[in-house]
Amino acid sequence: MMNLMHWRLLVAVADHGSITAAAERVGMTQSAASQAMAGMEATLGAQLFTRAPRNTLPTALGLSVIEQARVMLGALQTIRSTVDEARPMLRGTIRIASFPMVLARFLAPLLQRFAQLYPGIEVTTLDVTDTEVLTLLDAELIDLGVVLNPKPERKATVLGRDLWMAVLPTDHALAQRPADASVSLEALLEQPFVLATGGCTANARSLGAAAGLTLRDIRVEVREWNSAFSLVREGVGVTLVPEMALPAQRKGLRVMPLTVPLHREFALVGSPTRAPSAAASALLAMLAD
C-alpha cells in the first residue's frame, strides 16, 4: 500500500537523481527508501526508474507517473494552504534534544517540512548524548527528545530503526568469507576491538552485555564513528556500528551483517510527567501522518 511518503520519495528521487539523496530529503534511511521504491514498483507493476552506479533516472513511464505525483502533491499543498489561511496560525515554541546522527540525517528534513506547515512555531534543537536527552526530559527542560530503544512505559513516536553492522579490515580472516556471509556477535566480540560509541550508551559493549558476552580485547575506545573506521582500516581491530553510521567510502573495510540481526530504534518522547504542548502535539501529529 502506498502513502504520501511514497509519493514524496518518488518526486525526490526524480529531483535529486539519487535514492540516497532523496532519502535524506524526505527523512528516511537509504535502505528504507530503496525498499519503498521497490515496493511502489511492485504495487504498480511497472519499472519507474533505471538504476545506474551514480544516478537513478526515470523511465518514460516513470516520467508520466512523476508528473501526476507532482500534480497530486501540489493539490494537497493547496488544500493545506487554504485551510491554514482560514484558521488562526498556531504559534509557540518546541525544544527538542537529540544525539547528532539522528538530528542531522533524519530529524532535520522532518523539521523543514514542519516549518512549512507551521511557520508560526519556532523549533530549537539541542545536540546532546542519549543520556543527556533523558536527563533534560526528566527535568522538563525540553518538550521532546530523541531516545534510543525507548522503554515501553514511555509514550513514543517511532522515527525509524537501523541494524548494527560488523566492520572489519578487508584482510581480516573473518572478512574472507563469501559476499553473503554473516558474522556472529560472539565471534566478533572475541576479536581485537575498536569500541565506537557515537556518544551513546547503546554500543558494542552494552549489546554484548545484553547477550551475556564480554569484549575481551578493547584496543581503543573512540566517540566518533569516522575515527573507528580509520583505526579498522589500519588493522587495529574490528568494530560494530549502526547501519546509519556506515561511511560512503568503504575502501579497506568489509561490512558484514550479524548472524542474528540486532537493531536499534529511535523515537521522539515527551516529558514523563506532563502532556505535550499544542505546538509539540502538532509536530507529533505530523509525524504520525
Side-chain angles (χ1 to χ4, degrees), residues 1-235:
M1 187 175 72
M2 293 181 291
N3 55 34
L4 282 175
M5 182 62 79
H6 287 89
W7 296 113
R8 291 192 182 103
L9 175 63
L10 180 74
V11 171
V13 173
D15 288 342
H16 293 277
S18 161
I19 291 179
T20 300
E24 293 181 1
R25 179 68 183 85
V26 302
M28 300 175 70
T29 63
Q30 192 276 337
S31 59
S34 295
Q35 292 174 9
M37 289 299 303
M40 285 189 73
E41 291 180 324
T43 300
L44 295 172
Q47 184 176 354
L48 303 179
F49 289 91
T50 58
R51 294 158 178 80
R54 294 187 177 181
N55 54 28
T56 301
L57 300 175
T59 61
L61 176 59
L63 287 171
S64 298
V65 173
I66 292 162
E67 181 180 354
Q68 294 303 314
R70 292 188 194 278
V71 172
M72 177 182 65
L73 294 174
L76 176 61
Q77 185 58 49
T78 299
I79 292 171
R80 284 177 168 164
S81 297
T82 301
V83 173
D84 288 343
E85 291 171 1
R87 68 183 181 188
M89 183 182 294
L90 181 61
R91 298 185 181 278
T93 60
I94 308 175
R95 293 160 298 175
I96 303 176
S98 173
F99 41 98
M101 185 169 296
V102 171
L103 180 60
R105 298 193 182 185
F106 193 89
L107 197 55
L110 295 175
L111 294 180
Q112 289 175 2
R113 180 151 56 93
F114 182 71
Q116 295 173 349
L117 296 175
Y118 296 94
I121 297 178
E122 180 182 355
V123 179
T124 302
T125 57
L126 303 174
D127 185 341
V128 299
T129 67
D130 58 338
T131 302
E132 290 169 334
V133 170
L134 295 174
T135 300
L136 292 169
L137 279 171
D138 292 341
E140 297 188 0
L141 295 175
I142 57 175
D143 299 289
L144 299 168
V146 174
V147 175
L148 275 178
N149 304 322
K151 295 181 179 179
E153 60 267 24
R154 284 190 181 266
K155 186 176 181 180
T157 299
V158 176
L159 297 173
R161 60 170 54 184
D162 60 0
L163 290 168
W164 289 92
M165 305 294 288
V167 183
L168 309 90
T170 51
D171 60 357
H172 192 283
L174 293 175
Q176 306 310 307
R177 298 178 180 181
D180 59 351
S182 61
V183 59
S184 71
L185 181 63
E186 182 177 10
L188 187 73
L189 299 188
E190 289 177 349
Q191 308 303 312
F193 210 87
V194 175
L195 178 59
T197 67
C200 297
T201 54
N203 53 59
R205 180 187 281 127
S206 65
L207 293 171
L213 303 170
T214 303
L215 276 168
R216 303 185 182 279
D217 186 8
I218 299 177
R219 297 296 173 92
V220 63
E221 180 174 340
V222 295
R223 176 188 174 95
E224 300 299 328
W225 306 114
N226 286 336
S227 299
F229 300 138
S230 296
L231 292 167
V232 172
R233 285 189 178 97
E234 293 170 8

